[in-house]
Amino acid sequence: MSLEKVLSISGKPGLYKMTKQTRNGFLAESLLDHKKISVSSRQNLSLLTEIAIYTLTQEVPLREIFQRIATKEEGKPTISHKVPKVELEEFFFGVLPDYDEDRVYPSDIKKVVQWYNLLVNNGFTDFSEPAQDAESKQTSAATPEDKAPKASPKKKAAGKQINKAPVKATKKAVTQNKKVTTAKKK
């Protein structure tokens, strides 16, 4: 399994896996107790693939941090997130030595460790980047002009004519209604 459909929901403990799309959002299954909940599109969500940790030079994607922990722990669960703050920071320093201590709080480290253990316990062991993402990054290097669809001049002109026709018909109908209403008043 991969991280593309795993997310964190603000105000709810643990992680969730998207299962089905609904009219107003989607259904998600908790990785803690495997209960399904309905998630509204208005709720504050964070996909794990879009979360990154600050370092002194750049931001490192959470996927890469999980991969480093998995390599260090040989794919098995790591220390508990309930250990003292000093032990958590020492462990995280071993995984990511150049993390920015001013911007990465102990609560963030605690979450990363807790999420890693939760994912490993639920069978998420492949934290590498999917091939599809690598291809999309290569195509994103193209300029916006290369990506934009080219419209022919004939289609643009036809589109303008279509847009103007209903406006004229509407104006004509409005003027006819004014004549009728003024005639009745006399």
Side-chain angles (χ1 to χ4, degrees):
M1 291 194 245
S2 65
L3 293 178
E4 273 59 51
K5 293 190 175 188
V6 179
L7 53 96
S8 170
I9 302 172
S10 180
K12 298 203 181 275
L15 295 173
Y16 293 84
K17 180 175 67 170
M18 290 188 286
T19 55
K20 264 189 201 177
Q21 182 139 5
T22 63
R23 190 177 334 157
N24 298 335
F26 57 90
L27 291 177
E29 181 182 345
S30 171
L31 295 181
L32 284 174
D33 55 9
H34 301 288
K35 290 183 179 178
K36 292 186 180 182
I37 63 168
S38 177
V39 180
S40 169
S41 59
R42 295 180 186 172
Q43 287 180 293
N44 193 6
L45 310 170
S46 299
L47 287 170
L48 292 192
T49 55
E50 296 179 7
I51 297 175
I53 301 291
Y54 294 111
T55 65
L56 298 174
T57 56
Q58 63 182 3
E59 293 180 10
V60 178
L62 192 58
R63 171 189 309 274
E64 189 175 320
I65 307 259
F66 287 156
Q67 184 65 41
R68 290 181 184 187
I69 295 173
T71 303
K72 181 177 180 178
E73 300 295 329
E74 298 174 356
K76 297 177 183 168
T78 187
I79 64 172
S80 172
H81 64 281
K82 295 181 180 181
V83 298
K85 170 184 144 182
V86 176
E87 287 182 45
L88 280 173
E89 289 176 342
E90 185 179 306
F91 168 77
F92 204 69
F93 184 75
V95 173
L96 190 66
D98 63 337
Y99 80 93
D100 190 349
E101 296 176 26
D102 294 332
R103 293 165 54 180
V104 179
Y105 300 109
S107 60
D108 299 330
I109 297 171
K110 186 177 182 178
K111 245 184 224 182
V112 169
V113 170
Q114 181 183 18
W115 287 352
Y116 171 79
N117 286 333
L118 188 59
L119 289 168
V120 168
N121 290 335
N122 282 284
F124 288 87
T125 55
D126 182 23
F127 300 113
S128 62
E129 192 169 345
Q132 183 180 1
D133 284 351
E135 289 175 13
S136 66
K137 284 184 181 180
Q138 289 175 353
T139 57
S140 67
T143 60
E145 294 87 27
D146 295 340
K147 292 182 189 177
K150 305 289 183 193
S152 66
K154 292 179 184 176
K155 288 183 181 178
K156 285 184 179 178
K160 288 180 182 177
Q161 291 172 355
I162 293 171
N163 291 338
K164 288 183 179 179
V167 174
K168 290 179 182 176
T170 308
K171 287 181 181 177
K172 187 175 182 181
V174 170
T175 56
Q176 287 177 351
N177 286 342
K178 285 184 181 178
K179 291 178 184 175
V180 171
T181 55
T182 54
K184 288 182 182 177
K185 288 182 182 178
K186 290 183 181 179

